[in-house]
Amino acid sequence: MAAPTKDAPAHPHALDDGDRRWANWGLVPAFLVCAAAFFIFALLTPIPGYTMLVLGVGLAFLLERRGLTTAGLGRDLFLVALGQSIVSTISVKADIGWGNMVLMGSVLAVAVAAPYLISRFVFKDHAIRFPWRGGGRWGRFHWGYIALVIGLGWFILPFYFITSGVYLNWPTVAEPSELARLFVGVNAVGTWDELFFICTIFALLRRHFPFWAANLLQTIVFVSFLWELGYQAWGPLLTIPFALLQGFIFVRTRSLAYVVTVHLLFDAVVFLVIARAHNPSWPPFFLVG
């Protein structure tokens, strides 16, 4: 049995990329579990979504028992399904009311904590980790990518939010308290995205599939969640590449701190665009609006 890859958590049954195959039967239940997010979050049709979660997890255990998948796939997909199910108990549409912020924050926290605690203390493994400072010091690549993200965000996001009208999916903000809550909400969700989609879902899938397959699967869940959050219209043309790049950057840097930094800088531009779009009397500081 090959040793686990350096960028994936150690797992007694993990295979390196050279041993994995696209035809791996495990991709079928994994796709069912991840594609369920499209129905649960994007289409808001939970019954088909929950059905896919149950079928995917059940099929994973069946295939695993017959030796057609890597060991542990069933329980790892169970954790992915559990996290999605917890998130689905609330609406994740943008709402910065105090009550909704507390409710949403609590549920999203549980969605990360529950899979981690079950993995760590029930399954007795370290499948889910949060490597805050992994990968060493930042170099030219790190700082160059950050500059690229800020630059692209500054040019693309105003055009997307304002011309498509999707900024209206976020509540009107004008008062200082509203702006502060929007800022906190945008950054809190951005941080949670990396904890859930990258450190949880992507990390669990990475134990069984090659990087590109695991990254595509986590992107389905990531983008479906962002659609319900408000990134609609032609938003997937932006969110799909972003989700894929976050998975790539996490593998490249092995640093949660770095991917969170990238995400929050991107979200800082999102915050400014939404605030500016809702306050057209403000001095223009984007090329659009």
Side-chain angles (χ1 to χ4, degrees):
M1 188 64 68
T5 53
K6 293 181 179 179
D7 52 73
H11 186 274
H13 303 284
L15 302 174
D16 62 27
D17 285 347
D19 293 330
R20 295 185 178 104
R21 297 292 182 268
W22 167 245
N24 188 321
W25 282 102
L27 285 168
V28 177
F31 177 77
L32 284 172
V33 169
C34 292
F38 178 72
F39 292 89
I40 295 173
F41 301 117
L43 298 184
L44 299 180
T45 53
I47 293 179
Y50 294 148
T51 301
M52 292 173 68
L53 291 179
V54 172
L55 289 176
V57 173
L59 180 59
F61 278 111
L62 177 62
L63 293 174
E64 183 181 341
R65 180 176 298 179
R66 296 187 177 185
L68 297 175
T69 70
T70 49
L73 179 64
R75 69 188 193 186
D76 285 345
L77 289 185
F78 163 74
L79 295 177
V80 173
L82 174 64
Q84 292 186 63
S85 299
I86 293 172
V87 176
S88 72
T89 60
I90 60 169
S91 169
V92 298
K93 291 184 178 180
D95 180 351
I96 58 172
W98 284 112
N100 185 72
M101 291 183 68
V102 172
L103 173 63
M104 186 172 176
S106 300
V107 171
L108 294 186
V110 172
V112 170
Y116 171 77
L117 293 174
I118 293 173
S119 174
R120 179 69 180 86
F121 297 105
V122 178
F123 297 154
K124 304 296 184 181
D125 63 24
H126 294 274
I128 302 171
R129 300 180 182 182
F130 306 101
W132 185 249
R133 297 187 64 182
R137 298 180 63 180
W138 297 0
R140 291 183 179 179
F141 168 82
H142 300 79
W143 293 109
Y145 184 68
I146 284 176
L148 178 65
V149 166
I150 295 174
L152 289 177
W154 193 268
F155 283 103
I156 297 173
L157 290 175
F159 180 78
Y160 163 62
F161 275 95
I162 295 174
T163 63
S164 69
V166 296
Y167 73 91
L168 296 172
N169 292 333
W170 280 260
T172 301
V173 288
E175 299 298 323
S177 63
E178 296 171 336
L179 290 167
R181 277 180 279 143
L182 176 64
F183 181 79
V184 170
V186 167
N187 283 274
V189 172
T191 302
W192 177 86
D193 285 344
E194 303 307 324
L195 298 176
F196 185 68
F197 298 113
I198 301 301
C199 290
T200 302
I201 293 180
F202 178 62
L204 290 169
L205 294 172
R206 191 70 183 90
R207 306 209 304 171
H208 306 278
F209 307 110
F211 160 75
W212 61 270
N215 206 23
L216 285 171
L217 289 169
Q218 70 86 12
T219 295
I220 296 173
V221 189
F222 202 154
V223 173
S224 299
F225 172 85
L226 291 179
W227 179 274
E228 184 182 356
L229 186 63
Y231 292 84
Q232 299 174 8
W234 50 275
L237 295 178
L238 298 177
T239 56
I240 290 174
F242 183 76
L244 290 171
L245 282 170
Q246 288 299 92
F248 169 77
I249 293 299
F250 183 67
V251 168
R252 173 70 183 267
T253 65
R254 299 193 297 277
S255 171
L256 175 59
Y258 185 74
V259 294
V260 168
T261 298
V262 169
H263 199 135
L264 295 188
L265 287 172
F266 192 79
D267 280 353
V269 182
V270 170
F271 163 76
L272 290 173
V273 173
I274 294 173
R276 173 66 180 81
H278 279 296
N279 295 275
S281 61
W282 286 11
F285 42 83
F286 292 112
L287 298 178
V288 177

